[in-house]
Amino acid sequence: MAEHRVLGKSVPRQDAVDKVTGAARFVDDIQFGPSLLHAKILRSPHPHARILAIDTAEAAKVPGVKAIVTGRDCRHYIGLYLADRTVYATDKVRFVGEPVAGVAADSIEAANEAVKLIKVEYEPLPGVFDPVSGALGRDVLVHETPASSDLWWQGLPCITTKAPGTLLHEHLGEYTCAPFIHPVPGTNISNHFKLRKGDIDRGFAAADVVVENVYTLPHIQHSQIEPHAAVAQVDRAGKVTLWASSQSPNAVRKLIATAFELPMSKIRVITPYVGGGFGGKAGVTCEALVVPLAMRLPGYHVKLTLTREEVFQATFVRQGLVARLKTGADKTGRLVALEAELFWDGGAYTEYGVNITRSGGYCSSGPYEIPNIKTDSYCVYTNHPVGGPMRGFGMPEIHWGIEQQMDILAEKLGIDPLAFRRMNALREGSLGAFGGPMEGATLVDTIDAVAAKCGWGGPVPSASTAHKLRGRGIACMYKAPSMPPNAQSSAIIKLNEDGTAHVLTTAMEIGQGSLTALAQIAAEELGLAADKVVVTLPDTDYTPYEWQTVASRISYSAGNAVLAAARDAKAQLLAVAAQVLAIPATDLVIADGQIFPLANPARKLAVSDIAMGYLLPEGAIGGPVIGRGAFIPAGITGLDKETGQGDKPAAFWTYGTQVADIEVDARTGEITVLKVTAAYEVGKIINPAMCKGQVQGGIVQGLGSALYEHLVLVDGKPLNSDFVDYKIPTATDTPEMDIILLETSPQADGPFGVKGIAEPTMVPTAPAIANAVYHATGVRILDLPLSAEKVLAALKKKQTREN
């Protein structure tokens, strides 16, 4: 393996000083002077109601109010994968908290007063609050055929079938969607992903043990520290500038262009630091709300910063899930059949959630080889908050059930749960649930690494006190970046006069360390120190295109674009150096900011001497060096609509295993997670400290979803929309973590072999804890979270049964 000078080193984060000193500026920190107006939103109090009339006359009279907008001002449908929502509600409201009207005023107080004076006449309608009944019934439809429609799908360019000129679009009523999404018209099902592999009847006939259970997960919030915020300004020429706390500047630009019929050249999106994303700031959330207000008020800056309650109610939540899993194995321990029904609670709009349903469907086997599979994965409209992407994009949800099924089957067969997983693990060339061969299948490596590290099979330490029960549980995972087959990245590298460099990209720093990771990739290729390369924050007028900062794809996809740009810049430098030194470019290398022949390192030329070109006696050569790079994953194929079978639905797969050591207080049901041992295979580690930080963060976030997090909804109304009643882990809940990073299978098309790591780290934590609870107590709980009340009730029930 090649020796790297920058990669594999824990260089300091580029954003560290700004963030620890408070110098980092977020959207709400930016000052706009006297032109600043404040926006407030009138939101629906009903989960489902028809809008009969809106009267804004009294609100408009409030001193300081500058503009009021409603759904009448923006009727176009938008959405990333399914165009099913408008910026403000038009004919109906479909969830508590849906925007109905917006006010811009010269003070927050005036805006709030005006919002209270807007009169809306509603006709309440029956609601859908359960994805299973919502999928099966047709009496209440969350979405009816809209009055008008867009005739093209906004999220991606249209994709044609093999028949030239034939579009693969499907329709829900008249909504348009991506070609790989399959709505069922006349129902609440916005996507039905079907997977059929092998012969399911023959598979279960060959099974000696079959287990069937229903697993459920509630909605949870992303709980970013920075709330969503946006500022819009429209100049006299009609150009919109938007400052947004967003993971997706280019997607925001495109969706707003669609919503307001603007050319993208007239929309500029600037994204300063973002205080946490986790998927909740992908696509469009609150950014579009301020645009129609700003369009009414040229020259003013209109700012909207959501309250924490609004973040809980009106931005993406992780979809709830009801999963029925029936799994069979033969007496040797081989998995032979899986039947899965996945009912995803997509909420009022499923413009993003439909693709989570698809990913959950084609990954429904988990990281195991099963020859016979039947899966139906339904994205269901309900009158709940809007479901969207969250760290893991469907994988924490499906692994919650899959990994408990593995433990239950192993116990029935009398096989150690780790050995059972190892036996059935996907290996290189195994056929995935989608029927294609798996590449880079390294689950066994992570299982073995964890087993060795935690001493699996040895005695579990005793509990700390007599009333506590000690247990250990294991869970595995796999995940691929769930993205369209044509998700693009691009980068520009500018060399400066002193030999330093700027990297321009629209990849977003959301806390994961992308600024530093991309700088290390560029520096490695350009032969510069990491601190000589600066990656800028996005500004769509000046930074090149990036699809979105989601799906654990930035180090891989944007990293490839940066690497290509660095190679382009490097080639230009070497071409000039070859003329100056009179040595063929192929004999030259770059290292430590110097260019020299390998055979004679003393004969060197500084990068700074040629970054702007070079003056020879016969004239100048070269010029300012600008490298250009672009990347789009190659070879990703579609899946058959009826069988979900195909060759390669994703660019790469990341595998991992976690073991949780816990204690359960038998008197209270409280679970304490003492230690998590985790192993992930990441292809190539760019920055070990940041990579470990990702794993640590994922474990803690997974712990929160396992023990505490649950957005309580009663008839569609969230009851715990703040951090007083919605609990997330604190430092005192953080367990000891033993983290192993493996580089056993570098990604063939990853920059230097890199795979994504951010999202997978959260996936197996909850089922590992659940399996540990069973090991400690003999109680198995199938619905999240594993609250103390739930555990205590299960312990009492078990005790009653035994007595």
Side-chain angles (χ1 to χ4, degrees):
M1 185 173 290
E3 179 75 17
H4 295 302
R5 294 170 179 266
V6 180
L7 288 186
K9 308 294 190 295
S10 295
V11 303
R13 290 178 61 122
Q14 287 201 356
D15 53 342
V17 173
D18 278 355
K19 288 183 175 173
V20 300
T21 61
R25 292 203 309 168
F26 301 85
V27 168
D28 196 64
D29 297 325
I30 302 173
Q31 300 299 311
F32 295 96
S35 67
L36 181 65
L37 299 176
H38 300 273
K40 283 292 177 182
I41 306 301
L42 176 68
R43 298 183 181 278
S44 168
H46 300 287
H48 197 196
R50 201 174 308 284
I51 298 174
L52 301 179
I54 302 177
D55 183 351
T56 62
E58 292 301 313
K61 296 175 184 175
V62 174
V65 168
K66 301 293 185 183
I68 300 175
V69 297
T70 69
R72 292 191 298 267
D73 299 289
C74 33
R75 289 183 170 275
H76 291 286
Y77 292 99
I78 59 173
L80 199 70
Y81 294 100
L82 168 67
D84 66 351
R85 66 190 302 185
T86 52
V87 175
Y88 289 90
T90 54
D91 56 332
K92 290 205 303 185
V93 290
R94 297 178 171 88
F95 69 99
V96 172
E98 180 164 5
V100 175
V103 175
D106 58 12
S107 70
I108 294 176
E109 292 76 15
N112 273 327
E113 183 182 350
V115 162
K116 293 175 184 173
L117 293 174
I118 297 174
K119 298 173 184 173
V120 183
E121 186 179 351
Y122 294 104
E123 176 193 354
L125 299 170
V128 177
F129 304 114
D130 166 61
V132 178
S133 61
L136 300 177
R138 299 189 179 204
D139 295 338
V140 179
L141 294 181
V142 178
H143 287 255
E144 296 146 352
T145 303
S148 62
S149 68
D150 299 320
L151 298 178
W152 56 284
W153 178 61
Q154 297 91 349
L156 277 176
C158 298
I159 297 176
T160 57
T161 64
K162 292 179 180 178
T166 304
L167 298 180
L168 274 173
H169 284 181
E170 300 280 352
H171 296 266
L172 180 76
E174 293 183 9
Y175 296 160
T176 55
C177 66
F180 44 79
I181 302 301
H182 308 299
V184 182
T187 75
N188 287 311
I189 300 170
S190 56
N191 187 26
H192 179 191
F193 178 84
K194 291 188 280 188
L195 190 143
R196 306 288 186 265
K197 178 187 178 187
D199 184 328
I200 192 65
D201 294 330
R202 185 175 297 174
F204 279 115
D208 296 297
V209 177
V210 175
V211 297
E212 182 173 358
N213 291 296
V214 176
Y215 299 86
T216 62
L217 298 90
H219 296 84
I220 63 174
Q221 244 297 343
H222 302 74
S223 302
Q224 313 97 334
I225 299 302
E226 182 205 20
H228 298 244
V231 181
Q233 188 252 3
V234 178
D235 67 18
R236 300 291 175 184
K239 179 165 183 172
V240 178
T241 300
L242 190 67
W243 292 261
S245 177
S246 170
Q247 298 176 230
S248 316
N250 285 113
V252 167
R253 185 179 64 169
K254 186 167 186 175
L255 293 170
I256 287 178
T258 301
F260 300 102
E261 294 186 297
L262 293 170
M264 282 188 276
S265 61
K266 284 209 163 189
I267 303 172
R268 176 186 180 189
V269 180
I270 301 170
T271 48
Y273 283 123
V274 171
F278 310 117
K281 294 175 181 174
V284 168
T285 53
C286 73
E287 297 86 358
L289 295 171
V290 289
V291 173
L293 291 166
M295 292 173 79
R296 294 274 189 91
L297 302 161
Y300 283 101
H301 293 82
V302 181
K303 179 166 83 171
L304 174 65
T305 300
L306 299 190
T307 65
R308 185 59 64 182
E309 184 181 28
E310 287 180 306
V311 171
F312 270 90
Q313 295 188 358
T315 67
F316 285 136
V317 295
R318 191 175 83 178
Q319 298 181 122
L321 175 65
V322 177
R324 183 186 68 82
L325 302 180
K326 178 181 175 183
T327 316
D330 66 21
K331 59 186 176 185
T332 70
R334 291 287 178 187
L335 293 167
V336 293
L338 165 69
E339 186 174 87
E341 280 188 307
L342 309 174
F343 295 91
W344 302 81
D345 188 338
Y349 300 96
T350 62
E351 50 120 340
Y352 213 132
V354 287
N355 199 34
I356 300 170
T357 302
R358 179 177 184 267
S359 299
Y362 72 71
C363 295
S364 57
S365 68
Y368 307 107
E369 184 162 23
I370 305 176
N372 306 291
I373 305 175
K374 178 186 177 187
T375 296
D376 290 282
S377 183
Y378 304 97
C379 189
V380 185
Y381 281 126
T382 65
N383 294 109
H384 282 151
V386 178
M390 184 173 174
R391 191 174 195 167
F393 207 75
M395 296 304 104
E397 296 94 308
I398 64 167
H399 283 77
W400 167 243
I402 292 168
E403 287 302 307
Q404 293 200 70
Q405 289 286 94
M406 295 301 108
D407 259 36
I408 295 169
L409 279 168
E411 183 183 33
K412 287 184 176 294
L413 290 163
I415 301 174
D416 176 85
L418 184 146
F420 183 78
R421 287 172 170 82
R422 198 179 190 286
M423 180 192 306
N424 289 288
L426 287 166
R427 289 171 166 78
E428 194 69 18
S430 296
L431 297 182
F434 52 88
M438 301 299 295
E439 300 172 350
T442 54
L443 179 62
V444 170
D445 297 340
T446 67
I447 292 174
D448 291 346
V450 161
K453 196 74 174 179
C454 75
W456 184 269
V460 176
S462 301
S464 58
T465 65
H467 62 272
K468 292 193 175 182
L469 305 167
R470 181 87 180 225
R472 172 176 286 179
I474 185 173
C476 299
M477 61 74 58
Y478 74 160
K479 186 191 181 301
S482 301
M483 58 188 188
N486 57 345
Q488 311 92 339
S489 294
S490 56
I492 292 170
I493 294 180
K494 302 186 302 174
L495 268 291
N496 301 315
E497 295 93 318
D498 61 357
T500 60
H502 277 96
V503 176
L504 278 61
T505 166
T506 310
M508 194 60 228
E509 171 64 61
I510 55 174
Q512 83 282 43
S514 64
L515 294 178
T516 309
L518 296 177
Q520 287 184 257
I521 290 172
E524 181 68 42
E525 185 65 20
L526 287 170
L528 300 175
D531 63 358
K532 302 297 183 189
V533 179
V534 173
V535 181
T536 63
L537 291 168
D539 178 336
T540 57
D541 264 12
Y542 301 104
T543 53
Y545 183 86
E546 176 61 53
W547 177 63
Q548 291 198 96
T549 301
V550 296
S552 303
R553 60 181 287 278
I554 288 303
S555 294
Y556 164 77
S557 192
N560 266 318
V562 169
L563 180 59
R567 286 174 175 162
D568 186 21
K570 180 179 175 180
Q572 296 172 49
L573 290 168
L574 292 178
V576 173
Q579 291 189 60
V580 175
L581 297 172
I583 297 172
T586 52
D587 292 342
L588 298 174
V589 296
I590 305 181
D592 299 327
Q594 304 288 329
I595 301 176
F596 52 86
L598 267 177
N600 184 10
R603 193 181 174 197
K604 58 189 178 184
L605 186 64
V607 169
S608 57
D609 289 340
I610 59 172
M612 296 295 117
Y614 195 83
L615 183 58
L616 292 169
E618 57 270 30
I621 60 172
V625 173
I626 302 174
R628 171 196 177 278
F631 178 74
I632 189 167
I636 297 178
T637 62
L639 298 174
D640 184 84
K641 178 184 176 183
E642 297 301 325
T643 67
Q645 299 295 282
D647 293 329
K648 186 180 178 182
F652 62 83
W653 300 83
T654 302
Y655 293 82
T657 300
Q658 291 186 15
V659 167
D661 285 282
I662 65 142
E663 278 187 344
V664 179
D665 189 322
R667 300 179 306 181
T668 66
E670 182 182 15
I671 298 168
T672 302
V673 181
L674 302 171
K675 181 179 180 181
V676 174
T677 307
Y680 286 89
E681 199 282 308
V682 300
K684 174 64 184 175
I685 302 167
I686 299 175
N687 185 311
M690 291 201 309
C691 201
K692 282 196 173 183
Q694 285 284 4
V695 183
Q696 291 166 343
I699 289 171
V700 174
Q701 199 164 17
L703 183 152
S705 71
L707 303 186
Y708 313 122
E709 297 187 54
H710 176 194
L711 186 59
V712 179
L713 296 162
V714 175
D715 294 334
K717 183 174 177 56
L719 300 184
N720 55 339
S721 302
D722 56 54
F723 287 140
V724 174
D725 296 317
Y726 184 98
K727 304 297 185 186
I728 60 174
T730 66
T732 58
D733 301 306
T734 303
E736 177 187 354
M737 289 180 266
D738 208 344
I739 295 166
I740 308 149
L741 301 174
L742 304 173
E743 296 178 312
T744 53
S745 180
Q747 179 63 22
D749 65 346
F752 302 103
V754 164
K755 297 175 183 174
I757 179 63
E759 293 175 293
T761 58
M762 179 181 174
V763 174
T765 308
I769 293 172
N771 288 333
V773 170
Y774 179 80
H775 181 232
T777 66
V779 166
R780 186 163 291 284
I781 296 175
L782 308 183
D783 57 317
L784 279 174
L786 301 165
S787 64
E789 295 84 352
K790 203 179 294 180
V791 174
L792 185 61
L795 288 171
K796 288 180 177 178
K797 188 175 180 181
K798 175 174 177 280
Q799 189 176 26
T800 301
R801 192 167 56 243
E802 291 173 347
N803 290 337

